[in-house]
């Protein structure tokens, strides 16, 4: 008997697709880094998708785009992915967080494991509200630093600096040779996520904070039929960010990632529905539209030259080779 398609299964499938893509990109980037050391023929191209792991550089690229009207040569794919995430937030809630982000997938799986093991703990509402506010000062710091403190010339200088051009190489070094402090921090975050559902995403992620604010007035919402609702609370228990959906008529909170797990949990009463521009749509639309939008943005970027870096291969080999000289 075929498995019934549910919001959670669709979410996990799309997340798994992007996770597999991230693993492939990581492997390709590792091969590129090895090539910069050997220089053996044929040359290995750098996978542009690795730039998606450089959100701060992408934010700087966004400011440069606003100031000059052009993409800079450093990490164009990173900027394209940021623009996709911003567009998805305006149209599809935090679709990037709910279906694309690999950190979100790891957080979801750890939280599910914590629930199955009986480790999950609820946080009092006031404490949870205060904890959710922690990510906004972090977001504010990056916006003020990049948007207001850094001048145009300083921005251009940093974007073309050796450090920024090889930022993804430094990230690779972090994963290949993590410090003891980094391992402890990652271990603590994993342990906290086992206890408190999606702790990083809910409380600390500045990227999610930005997308949440952009999605606040977006065109997609979850609506509750107050007459059909029995206030059973299954929607909140299914929600990865524990939104009290049963207390809302329209879910506009910046914590909503558009996964529709609440709608799936309410399948019996049918009190919840997903709407776009005020019209009801199938609950799968957010996930499928997020996937479709990513493919469309990627294809457009490839065709217009806004995905792959146009820096000379030998220049990249020299830059990255200096970073990985001891690898």
């Amino acid at each position: 008997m075929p498995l019934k398609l549910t919001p959670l299964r669709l979410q996990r499938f799309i997340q798994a697709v992007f996770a597999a893509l991230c693993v492939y990109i990581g492997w390709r980037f590792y091969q590129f880094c090895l090539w910069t050391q050997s220089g053996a023929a044929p040359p290995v191209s750098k996978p542009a998708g690795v730039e998606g792991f450089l959100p701060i550089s992408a934010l700087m690229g966004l400011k440069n785009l606003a100031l000059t009207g052009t993409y800079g040569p450093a990490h164009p794919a990173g900027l394209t992915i940021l623009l996709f995430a911003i567009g998805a937030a305006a149209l599809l809630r935090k679709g990037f967080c709910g279906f694309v982000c690999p950190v979100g997938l790891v957080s979801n799986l750890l939280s599910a494991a914590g629930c199955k093991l009986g480790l999950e703990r609820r946080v009092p509402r006031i404490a949870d509200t205060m904890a959710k506010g922690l990510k906004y000062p972090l977001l504010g710091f990056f916006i003020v630093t990049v948007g207001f403190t850094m001048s145009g010339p300083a921005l251009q200088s940093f974007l073309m600096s050796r450090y920024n051009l090889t930022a993804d190489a430094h990230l690779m070094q972090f994963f290949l040779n993590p410090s003891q402090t980094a391992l402890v921090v990652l271990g603590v975050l994993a342990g906290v996520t086992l206890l408190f559902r999606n702790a990083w995403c809910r409380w600390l992620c500045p990227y999610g904070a930005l997308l949440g604010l952009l999605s606040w007035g977006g065109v997609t919402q979850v609506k509750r039929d107050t007459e059909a609702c029995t206030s059973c609370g299954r929607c909140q228990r299914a929600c990865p960010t524990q939104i009290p959906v049963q207390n809302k008529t329209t879910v506009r909170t910046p914590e909503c990632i558009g996964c529709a797990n609440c709608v799936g949990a309410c399948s019996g009463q049918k009190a919840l529905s997903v709407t776009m521009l005020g019209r009801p749509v199938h609950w799968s639309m957010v996930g499928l539209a997020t996937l479709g939008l990513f493919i469309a943005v990627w294809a457009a970027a490839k065709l217009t030259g806004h995905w792959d870096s146009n820096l000379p291969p030998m220049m990249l080999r020299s830059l990255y080779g200096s970073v990985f000289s001891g690898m």
Side-chain angles (χ1 to χ4, degrees), residues 24-40 42-47 172 327:
Y24 173 71
I25 289 171
W27 177 79
R28 282 280 313 280
F29 184 61
Y30 180 72
Q31 296 301 312
F32 164 77
C33 294
L34 290 178
W35 172 78
T36 64
Q37 294 300 294
S38 67
V44 178
S45 60
K46 182 174 81 76
M172 174 66 81
M327 192 173 78

Side-chain angles (χ1 to χ4, degrees), residues 125-179:
R125 186 172 181 179
I126 294 178
D128 183 47
T129 300
M130 294 177 63
K132 286 176 181 176
L134 294 175
K135 56 184 178 285
Y136 294 105
L138 293 173
L139 171 64
F141 169 78
F142 291 118
I143 289 179
V144 170
T145 301
V146 175
F148 299 98
T149 303
M150 185 174 285
S151 65
L155 177 70
Q156 291 284 346
S157 177
F158 182 83
L159 284 173
M160 295 306 297
S161 68
R162 179 181 292 268
Y163 182 85
N164 183 61
L165 290 174
T166 58
D168 41 12
H170 295 287
L171 185 63
M172 174 66 81
Q173 282 189 325
F174 170 83
F175 284 110
L176 291 176
N177 300 293
S179 66

Side-chain angles (χ1 to χ4, degrees), residues 11-23 99-100 105 291:
Q11 182 190 22
R12 290 288 188 268
F13 173 75
I14 297 176
Q15 285 179 320
V17 168
F18 279 105
L21 181 61
C22 288
V23 171
F99 297 94
V100 179
L105 173 59
L291 178 60

Side-chain angles (χ1 to χ4, degrees), residues 29-278:
F29 184 61
Y30 180 72
Q31 296 301 312
F32 164 77
C33 294
L34 290 178
W35 172 78
T36 64
Q37 294 300 294
S38 67
V44 178
S45 60
K46 182 174 81 76
V50 72
E51 298 169 10
F53 293 91
L54 307 175
I56 298 175
S57 181
L59 184 62
M60 293 181 178
L62 180 61
K63 180 179 179 179
N64 179 68
L65 178 63
L67 291 175
T68 66
T70 60
Y71 267 59
H75 309 309
L79 175 55
T80 295
I81 292 171
L82 175 60
L83 291 173
F84 152 73
I86 290 173
L91 298 173
L92 304 164
R93 307 305 301 169
K94 291 164 62 175
F96 179 87
C97 299
F99 297 94
V100 179
C101 179
V103 178
L105 173 59
V106 173
S107 182
N108 289 164
L109 295 177
L110 284 172
S111 297
C115 182
K116 289 183 178 180
L117 294 171
L119 300 176
E120 184 179 15
R121 297 292 182 269
R122 289 297 181 95
V123 179
R125 186 172 181 179
I126 294 178
D128 183 47
T129 300
M130 294 177 63
K132 286 176 181 176
L134 294 175
K135 56 184 178 285
Y136 294 105
L138 293 173
L139 171 64
F141 169 78
F142 291 118
I143 289 179
V144 170
T145 301
V146 175
F148 299 98
T149 303
M150 185 174 285
S151 65
L155 177 70
Q156 291 284 346
S157 177
F158 182 83
L159 284 173
M160 295 306 297
S161 68
R162 179 181 292 268
Y163 182 85
N164 183 61
L165 290 174
T166 58
D168 41 12
H170 295 287
L171 185 63
M172 174 66 81
Q173 282 189 325
F174 170 83
F175 284 110
L176 291 176
N177 300 293
S179 66
Q180 185 176 1
T181 300
L183 291 174
V184 170
V185 170
L186 291 174
V188 169
L189 285 174
V192 170
T193 304
L194 286 170
L195 296 174
F196 305 108
R197 189 180 303 183
N198 291 302
W200 167 260
C201 302
R202 290 166 59 197
W203 299 338
L204 296 173
C205 180
Y207 202 107
L210 172 64
L211 300 183
L213 292 176
L214 293 172
S215 72
W216 209 333
V219 301
T220 302
Q221 292 97 25
V222 172
K223 291 189 177 293
R224 181 175 69 95
D225 183 339
T226 56
E227 294 184 1
C229 179
T230 62
S231 299
C232 65
R234 285 200 295 266
C235 50
Q236 182 176 0
R237 291 192 292 273
C239 177
T241 56
Q242 296 188 327
I243 300 169
V245 180
Q246 71 276 9
N247 298 332
K248 300 177 180 292
T249 303
T250 301
V251 179
R252 296 183 181 276
T253 171
E255 305 303 323
C256 177
I257 62 175
C259 65
N261 286 330
C262 58
V263 179
C266 189
S267 58
Q269 286 74 28
K270 300 187 183 300
L272 298 177
S273 61
V274 178
T275 65
M276 288 184 178
L277 294 172

